[in-house]
């Protein structure tokens, strides 16, 4: 069970990191393609320019924008689930911190269960919606993917997020253990070892 | 009445400390289940189509670019350059810190990232040189806020997105479209430079008054060398701003290009991070972006609910009936945003309030770009004071100072920022002059 959970964790992390990386590359390639084509066109008298133009014009990247949007929507849904596990979702905690411990625990649990409720409802609505779509042969405009595959991220992402809320609520209820993302911490920056600027001229 | 129910529910849910995105979503669902006949199925579709918008995708790209730059030693070279230019004036490293923050802000779209990038290097150096910790922390906390005013800026993208869909009528009844990301970016340049100058002046004054250490003057040769070293970072400024202004890229494409560019200079040019660090940066950026995109998704639902209940229109009619003029309204906006800045972070505030404030402001004759810049400056102030000022927490982590002490430390600069806020509120030309000169309005 624990092993399965760990696989799920890794899968989630790999998926969202890959999606953001891939989306960046897709858009960059599309922009680069546009400018190299323009470049080749404006220097069409150079030897080999015609061949290069024919090659470039043969590649159609009009779907890049749509693909990027879908990748980011998928990343947003699964990343939000990952965020529940790491406690990155921000809330207004000014009042909660003032409450006596017993009340605080109840309130936080209420918040977490509301999260599970909301994502559960959305997941179910999304599932119905996708079911309905899969009966049709509707496709996305540029990529011509079946729409239901594109929209599949709503039920999958929301149910995963619901599961994460329940998981966090359970471990908080049992072990008082709440994930907390430290927004003031950035990986890769070690404050203590950071060296000061030493421009020449500083004695 | 409906307005009251919606907002009471939203505020009650938010006060339990649940994520803002969930509070927004649950408010919408509760309302739809019990109080109206809007088909629920429309909601599921909105959850997807709400962020199916290429402009929004600039946010993950800018976050990614920012993370590569924070890891990538660009900040250190910018600090060296700034130090060689202004280090011999009163304020020394502190003034260089303001300049370095302004430079870094021009390649990064977030304030906390700017504070981290500049502060983690500069603060220890300032303490080593004999500056009081308070002084250094105050300078960096407030100058870091320039990150969202000097373009690129994530908060500006969010403002453009949040107001993009709303129907607003000008004083003469003509339809007014919202500001584009490009217009906002260009409009942010002048206020950004002005605020940087003002913060710098405050730094110089305080340093002169208390006689803090200065650095020896750097020779032109040294300046040239420092400039050459940070040229790769500076080029990004021209790539993003120039690219958007000249129409080479859309803002989103510019963001993607700058992410790739930042990756290349961090890994291959400056070699401050290895390829093995890349997955971690990707994961961190993805989860930060997903958090913001998730709030946006639910905020879109929320503004869909408000629009279908005609709330912005009713509020507009009500305000106009009261005979409020534009500057009284803007004072009210400032107070509202400053109060909201006490409990929520910037993107949520803009997402929730902008769709409501925008139609009213436009009806009273406020330019959409002016309102946008005004909101951004408000968010900056909010980031620098407790209880939820993100910059403050970041700086307190770096400086290892308590929040209370830091709050006292920032006040001279915070006061400067508030005065600047008043100027931005009442002089629209500060925000509008440059885009108008460039023919973008």
């Amino acid at each position: 069970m624990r092993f399965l959970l760990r696989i799920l964790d890794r899968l989630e992390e790999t998926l969202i990191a890959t999606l953001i990386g891939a989306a960046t590359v897709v858009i960059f390639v599309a922009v680069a393609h546009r400018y190299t084509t323009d470049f080749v066109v404006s220097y069409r008298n150079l030897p080999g320019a015609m061949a290069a133009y024919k090659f470039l014009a043969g590649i159609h990247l009009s779907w890049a924008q749509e693909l990027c949007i879908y990748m980011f929507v998928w990343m947003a849904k699964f990343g939000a689930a990952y965020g529940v596990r790491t406690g990155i979702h921000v809330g207004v905690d000014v009042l909660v911190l003032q409450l006596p411990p017993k009340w605080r625990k109840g309130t936080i649990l209420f918040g977490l269960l509301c999260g599970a409720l909301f994502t559960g409802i959305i997941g179910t609505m999304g599932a119905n919606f996708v079911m309905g779509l899969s009966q049709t042969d509707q496709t996305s405009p540029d990529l011509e993917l079946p729409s239901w595959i594109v929209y599949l991220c709503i039920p999958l992402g929301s149910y995963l997020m619901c599961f994460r809320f329940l998981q966090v609520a359970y471990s908080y209820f049992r072990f008082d253990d709440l994930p907390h993302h430290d927004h003031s911490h950035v990986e890769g920056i070690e404050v203590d070892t950071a060296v000061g600027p030493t421009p020449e001229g500083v004695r | 009445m409906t307005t009251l129910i919606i907002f009471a529910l939203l505020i009650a849910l938010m006060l339990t400390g649940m994520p803002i995105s969930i509070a927004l979503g649950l408010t919408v669902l509760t309302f739809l289940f019990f109080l109206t006949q809007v088909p629920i199925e429309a909601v599921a579709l909105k959850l997807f189509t709400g962020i199916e918008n290429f402009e929004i995708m600039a946010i993950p790209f800018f976050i990614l670019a920012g993370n590569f730059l924070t890891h990538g030693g660009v900040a250190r070279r910018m600090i060296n350059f700034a130090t060689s230019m202004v280090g011999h004036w009163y304020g020394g490293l502190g003034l260089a810190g303001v300049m370095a923050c302004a430079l870094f802000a021009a390649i990064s779209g977030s304030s906390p990232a700017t504070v981290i990038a500049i502060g983690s290097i500069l603060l220890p150096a300032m303490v080593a040189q004999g500056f009081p910790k308070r002084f250094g922390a105050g300078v960096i906390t407030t100058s870091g806020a320039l990150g969202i005013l000097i373009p690129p800026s994530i908060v500006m993208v969010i403002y453009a997105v949040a107001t993009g869909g709303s129907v607003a009528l000008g004083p003469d009844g003509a339809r007014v479209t919202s500001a584009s990301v490009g217009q906002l970016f260009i409009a942010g340049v002048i206020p950004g430079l002005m605020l940087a100058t003002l913060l710098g002046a405050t730094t110089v004054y305080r340093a002169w008054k208390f006689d803090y250490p200065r650095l020896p003057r750097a020779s032109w040769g040294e300046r040239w060398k420092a400039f050459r070293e940070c040229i790769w970072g500076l080029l990004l400024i021209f790539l993003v701003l120039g690219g958007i202004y000249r129409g080479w890229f859309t803002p989103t494409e510019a963001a993607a290009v700058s992410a790739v560019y930042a990756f290349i200079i961090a890994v291959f040019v400056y070699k401050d991070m290895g390829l093995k660090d890349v997955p971690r940066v990707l994961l961190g950026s993805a989860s930060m972006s997903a958090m913001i995109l998730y709030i946006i998704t639910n905020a879109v639902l929320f503004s869909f609910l408000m629009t279908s209940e005609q709330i912005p229109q009713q509020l507009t009619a009500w305000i106009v009936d009261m005979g409020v003029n534009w500057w009284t309204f803007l004072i009210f906006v400032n107070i509202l945003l400053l109060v909201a800045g006490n409990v929520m972070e910037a993107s949520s505030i803009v997402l929730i309030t902008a769709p409501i404030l925008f139609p009213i402001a436009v009806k009273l004759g406020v330019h959409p770009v002016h309102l946008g810049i005004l909101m951004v400056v408000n968010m900056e102030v909010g980031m620098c004071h407790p209880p939820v000022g993100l910059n403050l927490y970041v700086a307190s982590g770096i400086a290892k100072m308590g929040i209370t002490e830091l709050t006292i430390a920032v006040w001279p600069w915070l006061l400067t920022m508030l005065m600047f806020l008043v100027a931005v509120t009442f002089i629209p030309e500060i925000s509008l002059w440059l885009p108008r000169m460039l023919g973008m309005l």
Side-chain angles (χ1 to χ4, degrees), chain B residues 253-269:
Chain B
E253 286 171 348
V257 170
S258 67
V260 173
Y261 181 92
F263 162 74
I264 291 173
I265 56 175
V267 176
F268 298 111
V269 179

Side-chain angles (χ1 to χ4, degrees), chain A residues 69-70 73 77 129 133 138 147 150-151 153-154, chain B residues 41-54 56-57 161 293 296-298 300-301 304:
Chain A
I69 291 175
Y70 291 159
V73 174
K77 300 294 173 206
F129 180 67
L133 267 183
Q138 202 179 324
S147 289
V150 172
Y151 287 90
C153 66
I154 304 178
Chain B
E41 286 70 35
V43 174
L45 189 61
K46 268 272 173 251
L47 274 177
F48 193 93
T49 55
I51 55 171
E52 205 177 343
N53 169 345
F54 196 55
I56 297 180
M57 302 314 164
V161 166
L293 289 178
I296 296 182
T297 320
N298 289 297
V300 168
L301 273 187
F304 167 73

Side-chain angles (χ1 to χ4, degrees), chain A:
Chain A
M1 186 62 195
R2 182 149 294 169
F3 179 68
L4 281 179
L5 278 179
R6 200 167 311 148
I7 290 183
L8 185 64
D9 289 359
R10 288 293 155 279
L11 217 63
E12 196 180 56
E13 287 164 12
T14 318
L15 179 71
I16 60 173
T18 314
L19 282 175
I20 194 173
T24 315
V25 173
V26 165
I27 292 302
F28 181 74
V29 168
V31 173
H33 174 259
R34 194 170 78 217
Y35 280 99
T36 34
T37 314
D38 283 1
F39 180 79
V40 172
V41 169
S42 46
Y43 291 92
R44 55 185 164 280
N45 297 326
L46 292 177
M50 258 339 261
Y53 177 74
K54 273 191 186 134
F55 171 70
L56 288 169
I59 308 170
H60 292 287
L61 291 172
S62 52
W63 43 264
Q65 199 156 317
E66 194 183 278
L67 180 64
C68 164
I69 291 175
Y70 291 159
M71 280 173 154
F72 273 147
V73 174
W74 278 69
M75 183 202 76
K77 300 294 173 206
F78 287 91
Y82 171 76
V84 174
R85 175 153 66 89
T86 52
I88 204 175
H89 292 282
V90 284
V92 179
D93 52 5
V94 183
L95 188 76
V96 181
L97 294 177
Q98 307 297 321
L99 292 175
K102 205 175 135 199
W103 280 90
R104 190 189 310 164
K105 187 156 183 173
T107 319
I108 293 178
L109 275 177
F110 171 76
L112 290 172
L113 292 177
C114 277
L117 176 71
F118 174 70
T119 46
I121 294 175
I122 295 296
T124 311
M125 276 165 35
N128 285 333
F129 180 67
V130 169
M131 295 276 225
L133 267 183
S134 66
Q135 308 298 320
T136 67
D137 46 9
Q138 202 179 324
T139 60
S140 70
D142 291 332
L143 287 168
E144 295 176 3
L145 278 172
S147 289
W148 69 271
I149 293 186
V150 172
Y151 287 90
L152 201 58
C153 66
I154 304 178
L156 289 182
S158 299
Y159 279 139
L160 182 63
M161 200 168 168
C162 177
F163 172 67
R164 293 297 185 199
F165 267 118
L166 291 175
Q167 211 181 6
V168 170
Y170 174 76
S171 80
Y172 180 61
F173 179 69
R174 284 292 300 277
F175 314 111
D176 269 330
D177 180 21
L178 201 60
H180 178 72
H181 179 84
D182 188 358
H183 282 273
S184 62
H185 173 75
V186 163
E187 264 185 72
I189 302 273
E190 267 111 69
V191 175
D192 289 331
T193 56
V195 262
T198 44
E200 278 76 6
V202 176
R203 271 166 249 149

